[in-house]
């Protein structure tokens, strides 16, 4: 699952900047990934990576932002994300019921470790994840996991 910030996917789709040091991606590359059936795109908000972001957002603002990203993914990828990742891992108690209501089936927090699931469906709303830090290749990240 690649969790995508909608605003940046939109921005990098409109400019020709493919610097590998950035952790941003455009819709052409995302479409290629989705069509491969190997990668699933998750929602990482449209623009809640600034200021207080998701933590202090009203329910209305939260729904609007996440819906804006969902609509962007549907229009550009013909795919509706079922996974969501909290911006900076900042968990918001008010967000989880909203995410469930919006149809998300999995939610990623920000603890960098492997998930060990017991079969309880609620565990899918508190998944660990690995972040791609600036300047570190995906190959290096995966090699370090061994």
């Amino acid at each position: 699952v690649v969790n995508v910030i909608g605003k940046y996917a939109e921005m990098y789709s409109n400019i020709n900047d493919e610097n590998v040091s950035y952790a941003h991606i455009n819709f052409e590359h995302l479409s290629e990934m989705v069509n491969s059936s190997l990668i699933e795109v998750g929602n990482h908000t449209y623009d809640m990576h600034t200021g207080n972001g998701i933590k202090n957002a009203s329910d209305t603002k939260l729904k609007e932002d996440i819906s804006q990203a969902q609509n962007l993914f549907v229009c550009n990828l013909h795919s509706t994300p079922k996974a969501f990742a909290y911006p900076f891992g900042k968990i918001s108690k008010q967000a989880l019921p909203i995410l469930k209501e919006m149809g998300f089936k999995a939610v990623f927090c920000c603890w960098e470790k492997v998930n060990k699931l017991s079969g309880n469906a609620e565990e899918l709303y508190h998944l660990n994840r690995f972040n791609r830090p600036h300047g570190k290749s995906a190959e290096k990240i995966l090699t370090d996991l061994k």
Side-chain angles (χ1 to χ4, degrees):
V1 177
V2 176
N3 294 296
V4 178
I5 301 168
K7 176 181 178 178
Y8 293 117
E10 187 172 50
M11 182 175 78
Y12 280 90
S13 293
N14 292 321
I15 61 174
N16 187 20
D17 186 354
E18 296 189 10
N19 185 330
V20 295
S21 294
Y22 302 153
H24 307 302
I25 193 164
N26 63 38
F27 283 116
E28 179 184 346
H29 294 145
L30 285 168
S31 183
E32 204 174 304
M33 290 182 204
V34 169
N35 290 335
S36 77
S37 299
L38 299 172
I39 303 290
E40 178 182 334
V41 170
N43 189 322
H44 202 24
T45 75
Y46 179 79
D47 188 25
M48 297 196 102
H49 279 73
T50 56
N52 290 322
I54 200 169
K55 201 80 166 154
N56 296 324
S58 69
D59 289 2
T60 302
K61 176 66 177 156
L62 190 60
K63 286 179 188 176
E64 287 173 358
D65 183 273
I66 296 168
S67 292
Q68 185 175 0
Q70 287 291 84
N71 292 335
L72 196 61
F73 298 134
V74 169
C75 288
N76 289 279
L77 304 174
H78 311 290
S79 174
T80 304
K82 296 293 182 200
F84 179 85
Y86 288 110
F88 302 113
K90 292 183 180 175
I91 298 167
S92 166
K93 288 182 183 180
Q94 97 240 25
L96 188 53
I98 292 169
L99 294 168
K100 287 180 177 182
E101 176 188 312
M102 293 179 78
F104 289 98
K105 302 297 182 197
V107 177
F108 293 90
C109 300
C110 208
W111 300 288
E112 292 195 2
K113 56 186 177 180
V114 174
N115 292 292
K116 295 181 181 175
L117 304 175
S118 69
N120 178 346
E122 275 304 302
E123 292 173 319
L124 296 176
Y125 293 103
H126 308 280
L127 294 170
N128 305 308
R129 73 180 196 224
F130 289 91
N131 293 309
R132 179 182 178 259
H134 171 75
K136 192 172 183 181
S137 72
E139 181 181 28
K140 176 73 173 139
I141 293 167
L142 295 172
T143 302
D144 290 349
L145 291 175
K146 292 181 181 179

